[in-house]
């Protein structure tokens, strides 16, 4: 599509023939994760029906990250030892990573986006646990997928996004605000539409679609806390940034959520840095060159 104007509909940009199809195994695992009565036997079925996913899951659980003393050869055993949520998140990552195209857009680096997404997912989960939220694992998936529409948007609207990226640098503004000015929607809404097209659970659609609305979520009471965690994660610096330009806004949002001091925040960020460094190699991603704690102290 060569042009886009104010209030261009997402349906025009995301025509059904342009959207990649998410593997049914990943969708089924996400659907199972919403059921309290589903256990390892139920989760094993869609994995075992997908030989490629089955091999990736076994490779994942037999990695040095988990350090089991013997080789795990059964999917049900893997689910029991590692947990259904961790394996579902891994399967989801693999599925999305495999179908999202690399738009070859200027300096854009697809692996860099997934690197940022991983760190934000780890942060959202740890923040959810700090707040003792029941769905902390879902926050991992929500933050992981929050920017998944960006490569598709860059591919379909390269001229418009070249302008937006230049303005973002020159004006120091958030991409979402510039998108709404130009199109009438932002990449969060685009990602939510993609999630709906994939029939992902509604809870994930909400977490993804609201991640650019931090102020509204912080004012929305206890029921909005999960989405606020994902939105706050979106304010972490990119792995390619040289400075954390939104730290003051991030810190203010963190204080409203947690009412903790800077030392407690730095302790949380240290845990995020450590977990990201441990988890990145499993997804064939580089460890961020600059840690979050280094950004804070810079």
């Amino acid at each position: 599509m060569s042009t886009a104007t104010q209030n261009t509909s997402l349906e025009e940009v995301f025509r059904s023939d342009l959207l990649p199809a998410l593997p049914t195994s990943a969708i089924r695992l996400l659907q199972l994760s919403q059921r309290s009565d589903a256990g390892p036997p139920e989760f094993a079925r869609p994995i075992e029906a997908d030989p490629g996913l089955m091999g990736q899951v076994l490779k994942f659980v037999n990695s040095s990250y988990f350090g089991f003393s013997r080789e795990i050869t059964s999917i049900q055993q893997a689910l029991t030892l590692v947990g259904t949520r961790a394996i579902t998140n891994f399967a989801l990552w693999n599925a999305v990573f495999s179908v999202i195209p690399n738009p070859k857009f200027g300096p854009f680096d697809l692996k860099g986006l997934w690197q940022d997404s991983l760190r934000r997912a780890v942060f959202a989960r740890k923040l959810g646990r700090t707040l003792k939220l029941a769905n902390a694992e879902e926050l991992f998936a929500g933050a992981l997928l929050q920017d998944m529409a960006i490569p598709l948007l860059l591919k379909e609207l390269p001229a418009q996004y070249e302008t937006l990226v230049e303005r973002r640098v020159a004006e120091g503004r958030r991409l979402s605000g510039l998108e709404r000015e130009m199109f009438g929607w932002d990449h969060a809404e685009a990602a939510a539409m993609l999630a709906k097209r994939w029939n992902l659970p509604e809870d994930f659609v909400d977490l993804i679609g609201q991640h650019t609305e931090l102020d509204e979520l912080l004012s929305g009471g206890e029921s909005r806390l999960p989405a606020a965690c994902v939105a706050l994660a979106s304010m972490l610096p990119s792995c390619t940034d040289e400075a954390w330009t939104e730290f003051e806004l991030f810190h203010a949002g963190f204080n409203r959520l947690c009412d903790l001091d800077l030392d407690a925040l730095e302790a949380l960020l240290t845990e995020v840095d450590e977990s990201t460094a441990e988890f990145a190699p499993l997804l064939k991603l580089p460890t961020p060159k600059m840690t979050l704690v280094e950004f804070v102290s810079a």
Side-chain angles (χ1 to χ4, degrees):
M1 184 170 295
S2 60
T3 61
T5 60
Q6 173 70 21
N7 295 322
T8 296
S9 73
L10 277 172
E11 285 78 8
E12 292 179 62
V13 181
F14 279 4
R15 302 193 312 271
S16 58
D17 60 312
L18 296 176
L19 295 182
L22 196 67
T24 55
S25 54
I27 294 174
R28 181 58 182 150
L29 288 171
L30 274 176
Q31 291 170 340
L32 286 169
S33 71
Q34 304 296 294
R35 286 176 42 191
S36 59
D37 61 334
E42 288 78 17
F43 279 84
R45 292 189 192 107
I47 297 174
E48 292 170 345
D50 184 337
L53 176 59
M54 181 176 175
Q56 288 295 322
V57 167
L58 290 175
K59 185 177 180 180
F60 172 62
V61 299
N62 283 300
S63 68
S64 59
Y65 179 78
F66 294 104
F68 293 122
S69 59
R70 67 186 189 282
E71 183 179 9
I72 308 302
T73 59
S74 160
I75 291 297
Q76 283 205 45
Q77 184 183 25
L79 287 160
T80 300
L81 292 171
V82 176
T84 58
R85 188 74 244 187
I87 289 182
T88 296
N89 284 337
F90 174 76
L92 181 63
W93 174 282
N94 262 353
V96 174
F97 192 91
S98 69
V99 301
I100 294 295
N102 190 336
K104 306 298 183 184
F105 176 87
F108 176 78
D109 176 28
L110 185 61
K111 279 203 170 184
L113 180 139
W114 296 133
Q115 193 180 23
D116 292 340
S117 298
L118 173 61
R119 183 152 69 178
R120 290 166 183 167
V122 171
F123 173 83
R125 177 171 58 191
K126 287 191 176 293
L127 181 58
R129 289 176 175 172
T130 298
L131 295 173
K132 295 181 171 54
L133 300 180
N135 61 344
E137 289 299 326
E138 290 185 7
L139 305 187
F140 182 96
L144 191 69
L145 300 179
Q146 63 180 219
D147 288 338
M148 65 179 176
I150 288 179
L152 291 165
L153 293 170
L154 298 180
K155 180 174 181 290
E156 293 305 312
L157 302 170
Q160 290 82 359
Y161 269 87
E162 182 178 1
T163 299
L164 291 179
V165 170
E166 290 174 352
R167 288 186 60 193
R168 180 176 179 271
V169 174
E171 300 173 22
R173 295 175 56 192
R174 302 206 82 191
L175 179 62
S176 56
L178 295 169
E179 288 170 325
R180 285 191 288 269
E181 284 182 8
M182 180 174 284
F183 305 128
W185 45 260
D186 62 22
H187 64 275
E189 294 172 66
M193 173 179 285
L194 184 54
K196 285 183 179 178
R197 295 274 181 88
W198 282 339
N199 294 315
L200 299 190
E202 194 62 33
D203 287 348
F204 288 101
V205 175
D206 291 341
L207 290 174
I208 293 165
Q210 298 173 16
H211 83 262
T212 58
E213 303 171 7
L214 180 60
D215 286 342
E216 293 87 343
L217 294 170
L218 289 173
S219 302
E222 189 172 342
S223 66
R224 310 301 294 279
L225 288 180
C229 290
V230 173
L232 189 64
S234 75
M235 301 186 74
L236 293 178
S238 170
C239 295
T240 59
D241 287 344
E242 296 181 1
W244 192 343
T245 57
E246 293 187 315
F247 177 73
E248 294 302 324
L249 291 173
F250 168 89
H251 192 202
F254 179 82
N255 283 341
R256 289 177 65 182
L257 274 173
C258 299
D259 193 26
L260 297 174
D261 60 22
L262 185 58
D263 288 340
L265 172 59
E266 289 191 1
L268 177 63
L269 296 180
T270 297
E271 292 180 13
V272 173
D273 288 330
E274 292 171 349
S275 294
T276 302
E278 290 174 350
F279 206 78
L282 299 181
L283 304 176
K284 299 180 181 179
L285 294 173
T287 301
K289 293 180 181 178
M290 192 169 179
T291 67
L292 294 173
V293 172
E294 288 171 337
F295 272 110
V296 173
S297 59

